[in-house]
């Protein structure tokens, strides 16, 4: 039985068309873009084309606003460090409690080493940012706001354009980790006050090891990696040409696939969610019911533990994840669900299904069939569950 | 964004763990139980209720059932535990250790050892219940050190001794102490240092492997970002626990290796190699031993020999083999280039 892949927020399959676009750049067109001979010229042209393709996906005003990086983590690190360096006299950073560790742990480190003061803004039970806390944290001491566009675990979408306007009014730079949003939601950066944006190739059917940082024209910037003129001196190092070409192609395909992502994939996700909520007692969806990525469903099952569910799902040929896979090896529940104050009974039992355009009706059917008996089996073992009932009676799902 | 498919633990689990997890033995309530023990809580992420039917006359455990909320290894440990104790007397069962539970599963990944501790605690609870005594893990001697997970000083010392733990991350993996707010970190370090010092004195672990407050690694970041007037304290993501390997036992009957003994062994080893070096017109002299760095002076033909670095790594290999600890041999003094070699 071929396993079904429903962990697309962790990584996606490289699109065959993306792979095909990359291959010549390993074999014939292997030149260094910095070389003046013909080998270099072709490659420089390909890098330029990819930049145009990304510009279109991001709705950016200029193609040179895009800097290629090794991925989301490098983009996030570059944005935070650049802002601190480029904004003298300001040493505070505002971020949120549900950010990816590449932002949170960096901020924690900057605070520990005395280089910045960090404001961590909390969220409500839908994962929505506490806007009052955000407003009052903004001041003329804030160098940067870094808040994700869409959450990797729950899919909750953050109104970053409005947050960016507020940051701009306070004279702070605004960065958004849009690794989960780009490719799933159409965006138009030229109409926003967003100064910097991180994206990662492997979340949108491009290979791992390639990403980009968007830096709006005119935004003060300092490079993280020095020693080369590449990317206009903003990111040194010989370009990862095949991956850049692949990222460009993936951007082009993402634009073509928006109708599918927002239509068919969203419908699949909704069907999966509704079926589980209606066939399994005491489970609820985590995230903002009104504003969520079309592909993500995070469902918490009361009184059973996520890893145990996952082991059974794996055996049933379904690949999903417990919250964020980054923390899957630890015994700690997800920091995102904790920040959302998810009830204790559900905190350890969350499973994230994340779909993509590669998924079909049959995939969703398999989960709908496999999951209820798994939950039943584990609840039969649970000391908190007796005779098919929870100790506190039936919980009302957050929404169905 | 280094996320990966979310079941790495599946790969770490032995076939025995998988079998006990997918086909748990003795699961479910036991109506005629006359001894019940509970361990863990909902907020911890794992909890076990162990029910025993004990013959009041012979004190033989006739039947055992479990109900467990938790990860794969928590369920597997519970299942294995029931198989281990059925047919045993209460006295026999009371001697069952965390290691024996883990061993019956073909071993547990280090970050899952607390699952075996869970089984051990529930069993102790059930035995106490049978005897009409009150017992919880936190009733072990000593004050409650980790309030989040309810771990006492006595439980910590017990875990350190039984498993020869030498780092706080190991301690957290085995007992869950420090898995919550982390404010007890300093106390965990103190208990670990004290108990390790005792173990060294008893010759049970090597001094080099022992944890001490002088040689500890830097303390990790606090688990919360300080509250500001604008924002309440927020929990911050903690890195995935990285468990350092357990300390090897000190060789039986031998005291831990002292520096003097180490130097003596190194000298003996160099002496053994000397005939081979002399045969090629060279020599090697021990200058100093600084922790794991062995400083030597190469002389004669060795100095000019193109193969000097090969010779040095040969000496290093022999030393590591002889002493059984990682060492680095660094040549000092004149080199063919007239500079002091730094060993880099």
């Amino acid at each position: 039985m071929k396993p079904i892949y429903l962990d697309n927020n962790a990584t996606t399959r490289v699109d065959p068309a993306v792979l095909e676009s990359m291959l010549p750049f390993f074999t014939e067109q292997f030149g260094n873009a910095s070389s003046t001979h013909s080998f270099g010229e072709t490659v420089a042209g390909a890098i330029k084309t990819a930049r145009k393709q990304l510009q279109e996906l991001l709705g950016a005003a200029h193609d040179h606003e895009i800097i290629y990086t090794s991925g989301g983590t490098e983009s996030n690190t570059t944005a935070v460090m650049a802002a601190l360096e480029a904004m003298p006299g300001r040493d505070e950073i505002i971020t949120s409690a549900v950010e990816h560790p590449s932002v949170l742990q960096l901020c924690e480190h900057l605070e520990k080493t005395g280089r910045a003061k960090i404001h961590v803004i909390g969220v409500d039970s839908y994962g929505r940012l506490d806007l009052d806390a955000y407003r009052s944290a903004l001041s003329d001491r804030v160098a940067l706001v870094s808040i994700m566009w869409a959450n990797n675990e729950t899919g909750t979408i953050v109104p970053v354009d409005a947050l960016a306007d507020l940051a701009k009014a306070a004279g702070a730079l605004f960065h958004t980790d849009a690794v989960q949003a780009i490719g799933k939601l159409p965006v138009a950066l030229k109409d926003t006050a967003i100064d910097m944006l991180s994206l990662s190739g492997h979340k949108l059917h491009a290979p791992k090891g390639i990403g980009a940082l968007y830096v709006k024209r005119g935004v003060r910037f300092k490079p993280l990696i020095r020693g080369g003129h590449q990317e206009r001196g903003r990111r040194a190092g010989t370009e990862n040409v095949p991956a850049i070409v692949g990222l460009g192609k993936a951007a082009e395909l993402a634009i073509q696939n928006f109708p599918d992502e927002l239509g068919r994939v969203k419908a699949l996700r909704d069907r999966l969610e509704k079926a589980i909520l209606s066939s399994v007692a005491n489970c609820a969806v985590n995230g903002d019911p009104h504003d969520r990525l079309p592909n993500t469903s995070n469902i918490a099952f009361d009184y059973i533990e996520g890893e145990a569910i996952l082991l059974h799902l794996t055996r049933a040929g379904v690949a999903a994840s417990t919250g964020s896979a980054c923390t899957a090896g630890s015994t700690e529940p997800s920091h995102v669900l904790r920040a959302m104050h998810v009830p204790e009974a559900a905190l350890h039992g969350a499973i994230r299904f994340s779909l993509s355009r590669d998924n079909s009706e049959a995939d969703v059917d398999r989960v709908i069939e496999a999951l209820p008996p798994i939950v039943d089996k584990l609840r039969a073992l649970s000391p908190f569950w007796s005779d098919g009932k929870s100790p506190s009676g039936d919980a009302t799902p957050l929404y169905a | 964004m280094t996320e990966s498919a979310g079941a790495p633990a599946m790969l770490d689990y032995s076939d025995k763990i998988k079998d006990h997890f997918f086909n748990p033995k003795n699961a479910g309530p036991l109506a005629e139980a006359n001894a019940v023990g509970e361990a863990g809580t909902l907020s911890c992420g794992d909890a076990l209720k162990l029910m025993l039917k004990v013959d009041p006359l012979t004190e033989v455990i006739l039947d055992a059932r479990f109900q467990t909320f938790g990860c794969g290894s928590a369920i597997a440990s519970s299942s294995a535990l029931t198989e281990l104790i059925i047919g045993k007397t209460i006295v026999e069962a009371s001697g069952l250790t965390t290691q024996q539970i883990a061993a019956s599963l073909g071993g547990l990944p280090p970050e899952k050892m607390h699952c075996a501790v869970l089984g051990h605690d529930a069993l102790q609870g059930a035995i106490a219940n049978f005897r009409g005594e009150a017992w919880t893990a936190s009733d072990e001697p000593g004050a409650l050190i980790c309030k989040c997970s309810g771990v006492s000083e006595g439980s910590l010392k017990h875990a350190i001794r039984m498993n020869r733990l030498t780092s706080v991350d190991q301690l957290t993996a085995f007992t869950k102490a420090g898995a919550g707010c982390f404010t007890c970190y300093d106390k965990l370090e103190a208990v670990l240092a004290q108990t390790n010092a005792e173990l060294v004195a008893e010759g049970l672990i090597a001094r080099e492997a022992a944890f001490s407050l002088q040689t500890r690694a830097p303390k990790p970041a606090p688990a919360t970002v300080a509250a500001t007037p604008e924002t309440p304290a927020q929990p911050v993501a903690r890195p995935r626990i990285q468990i350092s390997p357990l300390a090897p036992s000190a060789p039986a009957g031998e005291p831990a290796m002292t520096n003097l003994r180490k130097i003596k062994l190194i000298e003996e080893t160099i002496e053994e190699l000397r005939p081979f070096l002399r045969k090629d017109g060279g020599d090697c002299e021990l200058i100093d031993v600084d922790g794991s760095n062995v400083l030597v002076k190469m002389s004669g033909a060795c100095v000019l020999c193109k193969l000097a670095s090969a010779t040095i790594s040969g000496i290093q290999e022999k030393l590591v083999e002889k002493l059984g600890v990682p060492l680095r041999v660094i040549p000092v003094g004149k080199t063919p280039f007239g500079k002091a070699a730094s060993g880099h």
Side-chain angles (χ1 to χ4, degrees):
Chain A
M1 185 171 56
K2 196 171 164 252
I4 286 163
Y5 188 76
L6 295 175
D7 200 12
N8 287 280
N9 284 10
T11 196
T12 56
R13 182 183 76 125
V14 172
D15 192 295
V18 168
L19 178 64
E20 203 187 323
S21 74
M22 293 170 64
L23 291 176
F25 294 88
F26 288 104
T27 47
E28 290 99 41
Q29 298 163 43
F30 56 84
N32 186 326
S34 304
S35 309
T36 39
H37 48 63
S38 63
F39 288 87
E41 267 173 27
T42 342
V43 164
I47 292 176
K48 175 92 176 156
T49 305
R51 217 186 292 277
K52 289 269 180 209
Q53 288 164 321
L54 267 182
Q55 180 197 351
E56 201 185 336
L57 177 66
L58 297 181
H62 311 278
D63 67 349
H64 60 73
E65 291 174 325
I66 288 148
I67 302 170
Y68 296 119
T69 67
S70 64
T73 298
E74 186 193 322
S75 295
N76 286 342
T77 307
T78 306
V80 171
M81 299 312 288
L84 271 188
E85 227 186 303
M87 302 284 280
R90 289 171 179 252
D91 65 347
E92 294 184 9
I93 296 172
I94 298 176
T95 186
S96 89
V98 297
E99 295 301 308
H100 188 270
S102 61
V103 170
L104 271 182
Q105 284 182 24
L106 173 62
C107 285
E108 211 176 289
H109 175 72
L110 291 172
E111 173 141 271
K112 206 168 59 181
T113 50
R115 284 186 278 173
K117 185 187 168 199
I118 311 296
H119 301 269
V120 182
I121 310 296
V123 295
D124 68 7
S125 59
Y126 283 171
R128 294 176 303 195
L129 200 75
D130 180 344
L131 287 177
D132 292 334
Y134 175 64
R135 275 200 200 89
S136 48
L138 280 169
S139 75
D140 58 6
R141 300 180 301 277
V142 175
L144 177 78
V145 176
S146 180
I147 289 179
M148 57 174 31
W149 197 316
N151 188 266
N152 49 323
E153 292 187 33
T154 62
T156 293
I157 297 170
V158 180
V160 279
D161 40 359
L163 300 180
D165 287 337
L166 290 170
K168 193 178 182 179
L173 292 177
F174 189 90
H175 164 252
T176 182
D177 170 0
V179 161
Q180 295 293 347
I182 298 304
K184 298 179 185 122
L185 300 173
V187 301
L189 291 179
K190 61 176 180 295
D191 305 330
T192 72
I194 294 167
D195 296 302
M196 291 185 276
L197 173 144
S198 301
L199 70 91
S200 170
H202 75 101
K203 308 286 191 192
L204 56 134
H205 303 276
K208 292 151 190 74
I210 188 71
L213 178 66
Y214 159 89
V215 181
K216 195 185 269 298
R217 190 165 80 165
V219 166
R220 276 176 282 175
F221 182 82
K222 299 277 180 184
L224 181 71
I225 297 175
R226 293 166 188 275
H229 58 87
Q230 294 88 353
E231 304 301 296
R232 299 181 167 213
R234 293 170 300 177
R235 202 280 194 181
T238 301
E239 299 87 345
N240 182 357
V241 181
I244 288 172
V245 170
L247 179 60
K249 184 69 186 173
E252 185 192 309
L253 293 174
I255 297 169
Q256 287 169 18
N257 280 292
F258 275 133
D260 185 51
E261 187 83 29
L262 297 166
R264 190 186 62 91
V265 174
K266 182 176 184 298
L268 281 181
R269 189 276 312 266
D270 289 345
R271 192 160 77 79
L272 171 71
E273 208 161 68
K274 283 208 174 84
I276 291 173
L277 290 177
S278 65
S279 62
V280 179
N282 283 81
C283 65
V285 172
N286 294 312
D288 187 346
H290 311 296
D291 221 354
R292 220 162 25 123
L293 290 176
N295 77 317
T296 308
S297 181
N298 184 311
I299 306 181
F301 301 91
D302 290 355
Y303 304 110
I304 51 176
E305 203 272 339
E307 189 217 79
I309 304 172
L310 219 53
L311 292 174
H312 276 293
L313 279 175
T314 305
R315 198 167 70 152
V318 176
S321 131
T322 51
S324 154
C326 294
T327 47
S330 103
T331 48
E332 277 290 280
S334 139
H335 72 285
V336 174
L337 301 186
R338 250 199 210 289
M340 289 163 63
H341 301 289
V342 167
E344 217 166 57
L347 195 55
H348 293 271
I351 297 290
R352 179 187 71 185
F353 299 100
S354 47
L355 286 68
S356 82
R357 61 181 187 246
D358 289 340
N359 290 117
S360 68
E361 294 278 340
D363 295 353
V364 168
D365 286 339
R366 170 111 55 105
V367 186
I368 292 171
E369 195 189 316
L371 194 64
I374 291 173
V375 174
D376 285 348
K377 186 170 180 176
L378 290 172
R379 279 186 177 158
L381 286 176
S382 175
F384 301 113
W385 191 267
S386 56
D387 304 327
K389 278 213 170 104
S390 81
S392 57
D394 277 343
T396 320
L398 212 51
Y399 60 95
Chain B
M1 314 285 125
T2 52
E3 292 182 76
S4 62
M10 186 82 157
L11 307 171
D12 297 344
Y13 284 158
S14 67
D15 287 343
K16 272 189 184 166
I17 298 179
K18 284 186 211 166
D19 182 47
H20 275 287
F21 171 71
F22 287 119
N23 310 296
K25 318 292 185 297
N26 308 308
L30 182 61
E32 57 274 38
N34 56 354
V36 178
E38 292 181 41
T41 65
L42 194 57
S43 60
C44 284
D46 46 31
L48 161 59
K49 183 178 181 185
L50 182 69
M51 293 147 281
L52 310 179
K53 185 185 166 192
V54 187
D55 185 321
L57 290 176
T58 61
E59 296 203 342
V60 169
I61 298 170
L62 301 173
D63 201 359
R65 295 283 182 94
F66 77 92
Q67 284 182 298
T68 293
F69 156 74
C71 62
S73 54
I75 290 169
S77 299
S78 309
S79 166
L81 171 68
T82 58
E83 288 206 320
L84 282 172
I85 59 175
I86 291 174
K88 292 228 165 60
T89 65
I90 285 290
V91 172
E92 285 167 347
S94 67
L96 191 69
T97 64
T98 310
Q99 285 65 38
Q100 287 167 330
I101 299 172
S104 73
L105 290 164
L108 278 172
E111 69 273 18
K112 297 290 189 185
M113 275 304 289
H114 62 88
C115 296
V117 175
L118 190 75
H120 170 266
D121 288 357
L123 176 62
Q124 294 301 324
I127 292 171
N129 179 245
F130 174 73
R131 293 187 168 145
E133 299 158 5
W135 189 93
T136 63
S138 51
D139 279 349
E140 292 211 341
L144 213 57
I145 301 250
C146 170
K147 297 197 173 66
C148 297
S149 307
V151 187
S152 69
E153 187 173 344
S155 307
L156 289 173
K157 284 188 170 168
H158 183 73
I160 296 166
R161 286 197 152 266
M162 297 300 285
N163 305 292
R164 314 251 164 100
L165 307 182
T166 55
S167 74
V168 176
D169 53 17
Q170 290 169 352
L171 196 53
T172 304
F174 276 65
T175 65
K176 282 206 158 189
C181 71
F182 228 42
T183 50
C184 59
Y185 195 88
D186 291 337
K187 288 181 190 159
L188 295 181
E189 280 193 334
V191 173
L192 186 64
Q194 191 203 332
T195 315
N196 270 200
E198 290 167 16
L199 291 173
V200 170
E202 292 162 28
L204 291 171
I205 58 171
R207 186 173 296 278
E208 290 76 22
F211 174 88
S212 86
L213 294 175
Q214 284 74 43
T215 57
R216 67 181 164 195
K219 181 181 170 176
T224 56
V225 168
T228 66
E230 302 86 23
T231 53
Q234 289 292 340
V236 164
R238 286 183 48 214
R240 178 183 169 166
I241 23 170
Q242 306 261 330
I243 312 293
S244 41
L246 293 179
S249 301
E254 271 182 50
M257 202 185 333
T258 60
N259 259 342
L260 193 68
R261 192 171 152 69
K262 194 198 259 176
I263 291 167
K264 208 157 170 281
L265 270 171
I266 293 170
E267 272 178 336
E268 280 171 20
T269 312
I270 292 176
E271 208 53 56
E272 273 176 42
L273 292 169
R274 208 180 297 279
F276 299 100
L277 297 170
R278 289 223 170 120
K279 208 175 82 190
D280 292 324
D283 208 343
C284 169
E285 188 191 343
L286 179 65
I287 302 294
D288 201 0
V289 179
D290 178 15
S292 63
N293 290 336
V294 178
L295 309 180
V296 296
K297 189 175 169 191
M298 308 297 287
S299 53
C302 285
V303 174
L304 292 165
C305 177
K306 281 179 190 160
L307 294 171
S309 68
T311 309
I312 287 163
S313 48
I315 297 172
Q316 179 167 304
E317 219 173 281
K318 194 81 192 168
L319 284 175
V320 171
E321 186 196 319
K322 274 269 181 188
L323 278 78
V325 290
L327 290 171
R328 191 147 155 247
V329 174
I330 301 170
V332 294
K334 292 270 178 190
T335 70
F337 308 103
K339 283 186 204 156
S342 66
H344 289 296

